[in-house]
Structure formats: structure tokens, C-alpha cells
Amino acid sequence: MSTRTSSGTARTTLGFALITAAALALTACSGGEPATAPAGASGAPGAAKGSLPTEDVVSAVKKNEAAAKLLPADIRQRGVLTIATSVGTPPSSTYLPDGKTVTGVDSDFAAAVAKALGLEWKREVVGFEAILPALSSGKYDVGTGNFGVTEERRKTIDFVTYINDGQGFATRSDSSLKAVTDLTQLCGLKVATGAGTTFEQTLEKNKGRCAEAGKPAYEVNVFNETGAVWMSLQQGRSDVLMSTINGVRYAVTQQKNVKFLNEYRRLDVGFAFKKGTPLAPAFQAAVNGLKADGTYDRILRKWGVTGSGIERSQITPPEIPAPTK
């Protein structure tokens, strides 16, 4: 799962402009603080079209002493963690209209956990596809980018979960498609999605189903930027779009002539770490502490994604099984 950004060109509405301009760069995520952009759910109720919620749900978070004690001694002494962050689209992560300030579900959770652990972040905006390899090499302590927990990723990455999102489809309003419940419904169509994502992996892995059904294969159109994915759909160069459930639900409220089709599958989403990280227990305790003090629910309500809540944070849980169709 992932989200991306784009240097939008012809933007159809203010909302679409926010989605594409949300990354005049390639990716990112932070605690709603200014960030320098590199070159290259349901929607939020209560927020006017084209606007983003600005409620402060983090500043009241208190240090969770029990969670902080689980941090490795060197991290407690250092007091700072390096975080690689990726900016995509609301409600997961996006830029405010100033093009620098990052906001969203991921950034609020990152900021809240940092406060709970008594730590500061040293943030760096990194391309989505580069974050997991960089974690494995030890370049960063933590990664955020709406990373879904999969068995393949579990081989080299540890996760601490904080929401449940997943894979969903959208198409143009004039399409006869009603829902994609079986990937053979895509046969013969062009499907737009993001590079290096679980969507791309799912589509490539299941291409053979069309031949088995005696149908022409679907074509996977892969883009490095979220804005380019949506532009491909809007301009008719792709027939269907596959992206995050929450991201697609939000985007269709901000654009003309597109519609949400359906959820295809759910995935747990978490903070990402190098395999074997000693940080996981502290992060898990911090997230569960946010659930206990009400901060967790306030973040979900702010972004209109209460359907993505989890009962408790887990460390690298098994991948939620994919549909058999």
C-alpha cells in the first residue's frame, strides 16, 4: 500500500489541485510541521471541499513513562529518532496549500507517538519506494508512508501497527463498472496504480487469472506519482485506478467525474523498522497508550477514518489474507 505525490498539470478542481500539488515533490509525512519538499478513508467530514482539517489533536499528549522506559538506553540518551517520511494524498499524508507543511493521519500519529515517548524526530522526505531499503540498511530508525503489512515485507521489515486501510478501486463516473470483487473483471482493461506498492504487486501477481479465464490480460499502468495516476484515469488513458481505500474515498469527493467502486481487501498499516528493531515494544506501548487516553480516536475522527481503527497495536502481525478471487 502506498501513496504518492505529483507535480500536477491541468487541475480540474481545487480539490484535485490539493491532491496533485500535495507533492510538488515525491513523498513525505511528518507531524504537521514545516518540511522541505524534495524535487521529485472516507473523506474528512467537517472539512469543506478543497480544505483540510486543522484541529490540533497532538499538543495535549503527555509523556507515557511506561512506554518511554521500553526505549533502548542509547535512544533515550540521544532523544532523537531519524524518520524517513513519504507524502502522498489525504487523508494519509499531504501538504497544506503552502506546499511545505505536512499533515494527515500518518503525520498526526507520528507526532503523537513522539510526544508520548519524549522524543524528537529528525525527519527526511524520501521517495516511497526508497524507504524500506533504507531502513534495512540502517539509514533511518523509522519509516512512515501508509505501509501495509505483507508477508513479503515481513521478511526484512518490522511493523508497529496503528490503523487498518487497504486496497480499493475507482473509475470514471461514466464507467459501467459497479464494483471489482474479482480481478478477472479487470481483464482487457488498463489499470492505473503507484509504483512499488502493494497494488502493483497484487495486480502483477494475478495477471495470469485472465488467461485462465480465457480472457485478454489487463494492462497495469504504473506511475511514480499519485497525481499522475489520477490524471491517467481522468484523461481516459486508464480505465480503473487502484489505490488506498481511504485515499480513493477522499479523492473522489474532491474531483469531478470519478467514483469510488469498492474496497477490495484490507491491510494493517504500521510504522516501519529494520527487522529485529529494539524500538518496536516502545512504539507499540505508545500507540496503545494513545488509544487509552482518547488521542487515537480523536485523530481518526479528525480525518474521517474511524472505520480504519484497530483494537490494539501489534508488532509485525501476519498479513491479512487476500481475497481468493
Side-chain angles (χ1 to χ4, degrees):
M1 186 176 348
S2 81
T3 44
R4 300 273 185 163
T5 58
S6 108
S7 54
T9 53
R11 292 162 185 149
T12 57
T13 65
L14 174 59
F16 189 39
L18 283 173
I19 291 171
T20 54
L24 298 167
L26 256 179
T27 52
C29 206
S30 97
E33 300 174 4
T36 302
S42 38
K49 266 197 174 183
S51 69
L52 294 164
T54 56
E55 177 190 358
D56 178 2
V57 291
V58 174
S59 63
V61 173
K62 305 297 183 184
K63 184 176 180 180
N64 183 330
E65 297 291 348
K69 286 179 181 178
L70 297 174
L71 289 167
D74 61 326
I75 297 295
R76 288 202 304 271
Q77 184 174 4
R78 191 201 315 169
V80 177
L81 287 176
T82 57
I83 181 170
T85 64
S86 165
V87 168
T89 57
S92 177
S93 63
T94 188
Y95 290 106
L96 290 177
D98 63 11
K100 296 185 297 182
T101 305
V102 184
T103 188
V105 175
D106 289 351
S107 55
D108 277 345
F109 273 116
V113 167
K115 285 207 71 178
L117 294 176
L119 298 173
E120 295 182 2
W121 291 120
K122 180 181 178 183
R123 295 176 174 90
E124 185 173 335
V125 174
V126 181
F128 174 85
E129 70 286 349
I131 291 179
L132 298 186
L135 291 173
S136 293
S137 71
K139 186 174 182 179
Y140 305 101
D141 296 312
V142 190
T144 60
N146 201 18
F147 287 108
V149 180
T150 67
E151 293 305 314
E152 184 63 28
R153 287 173 175 170
R154 276 164 36 102
K155 295 175 182 177
T156 57
I157 297 295
D158 276 337
F159 294 91
V160 172
T161 61
Y162 57 92
I163 62 167
N164 177 279
D165 196 347
Q167 303 175 341
F169 289 99
T171 189
R172 291 183 300 279
S173 298
D174 60 2
S175 172
S176 60
L177 276 173
K178 303 298 182 184
V180 178
T181 57
D182 185 325
L183 292 180
T184 59
Q185 293 172 259
L186 301 175
C187 297
L189 301 179
K190 296 178 180 179
V191 188
T193 197
T197 62
T198 61
F199 321 120
E200 180 186 11
Q201 294 166 7
T202 295
L203 291 167
E204 293 293 348
K205 179 180 179 181
N206 291 282
K207 260 188 173 179
R209 293 188 183 182
C210 292
E212 293 170 1
K215 299 179 179 181
Y218 52 75
E219 178 182 319
V220 184
N221 293 336
V222 179
F223 300 89
N224 285 327
E225 303 175 344
T226 298
V229 178
W230 283 100
M231 193 69 71
S232 174
L233 181 67
Q234 287 275 15
Q235 294 179 345
R237 291 181 284 115
S238 297
D239 303 299
V240 186
L241 177 148
M242 188 179 190
S243 190
T244 65
I245 293 168
N246 290 336
V248 170
R249 277 189 167 138
Y250 181 90
V252 299
T253 70
Q254 305 300 303
Q255 300 182 53
K256 295 180 180 178
N257 305 319
V258 292
K259 63 183 179 180
F260 178 75
L261 288 176
N262 62 291
E263 296 183 10
Y264 178 67
R265 67 174 300 195
R266 283 274 173 175
L267 284 171
D268 289 317
V269 173
F271 294 103
F273 306 84
K274 181 179 180 179
K275 194 71 178 175
T277 179
L279 293 170
F283 270 69
Q284 180 190 34
V287 173
N288 286 330
L290 296 174
K291 285 188 65 67
D293 70 17
T295 301
Y296 184 92
D297 288 339
R298 284 191 287 274
I299 293 174
L300 296 188
R301 286 196 299 269
K302 172 183 175 179
W303 293 103
V305 293
T306 53
S308 285
I310 57 176
E311 290 186 11
R312 61 184 179 87
S313 176
Q314 299 182 75
I315 298 174
T316 320
E319 177 180 351
I320 297 174
T324 57
K325 294 183 177 181

